[in-house]
Amino acid sequence: MKIATWNVNGIRAREVQVCEWLARDAPDIVCLQELKAEPSQIPERCKLEHYHAYWHGHKGYSGVSLHIRKGLFGSEPAFSHPDFDMETRIVQAQFGN
């Protein structure tokens, strides 16, 4: 299993690099930090169809995402973040019980 993490320092500024890296290295699980974008601002080409993904961010500040390759655990994850995460810095996923 390949797990990767990257502080992208702005997903819109790193769109090309993120997409090229994901296509080339195809990690099973990807964690991105410092998106600096709301979910509606995520570039469409970064929303890859072979990953379950959860984008959690604010415009211009912090933000994280979690991407899990479809079929990796046999079911779709239940993504969430704790209520106290006012700065969009945490994403968690649960599979089954």
Side-chain angles (χ1 to χ4, degrees), residues 1-16:
M1 178 182 299
K2 186 187 293 187
I3 301 172
T5 183
W6 185 3
N7 182 323
V8 296
N9 194 24
I11 188 72
R12 292 171 288 171
R14 305 283 180 278
E15 173 183 352
V16 171

Side-chain angles (χ1 to χ4, degrees), residues 18 20 36-37 41 45 50 53 58 65 70 76 89-90:
V18 169
E20 287 175 354
K36 297 183 180 180
Q41 297 174 305
R45 64 185 285 206
H50 52 279
H58 287 300
S65 65
K70 290 181 178 177
E76 190 167 337
R89 297 183 184 273
I90 300 170

Side-chain angles (χ1 to χ4, degrees), residues 3 6 10 15 27-29 31-32 39 49 51 57 60 63 77 81 85:
I3 301 172
W6 185 3
E15 173 183 352
D28 296 307
I29 298 174
C31 308
L32 300 177
E49 66 182 54
Y51 285 99
H81 60 275
D85 181 29

Side-chain angles (χ1 to χ4, degrees), residues 10-68:
I11 188 72
R12 292 171 288 171
R14 305 283 180 278
E15 173 183 352
V16 171
Q17 294 91 341
V18 169
C19 292
E20 287 175 354
W21 168 64
L22 289 173
R24 182 184 64 242
D25 294 347
D28 296 307
I29 298 174
V30 178
C31 308
L32 300 177
Q33 302 85 39
E34 297 299 325
L35 298 175
K36 297 183 180 180
E38 297 174 346
S40 64
Q41 297 174 305
I42 302 301
E44 284 301 313
R45 64 185 285 206
C46 291
K47 298 176 182 177
L48 302 175
E49 66 182 54
H50 52 279
Y51 285 99
H52 297 290
Y54 186 83
W55 302 88
H56 181 48
H58 287 300
K59 184 177 180 179
Y61 183 74
S62 65
V64 292
S65 65
L66 178 57
H67 310 257
I68 301 170

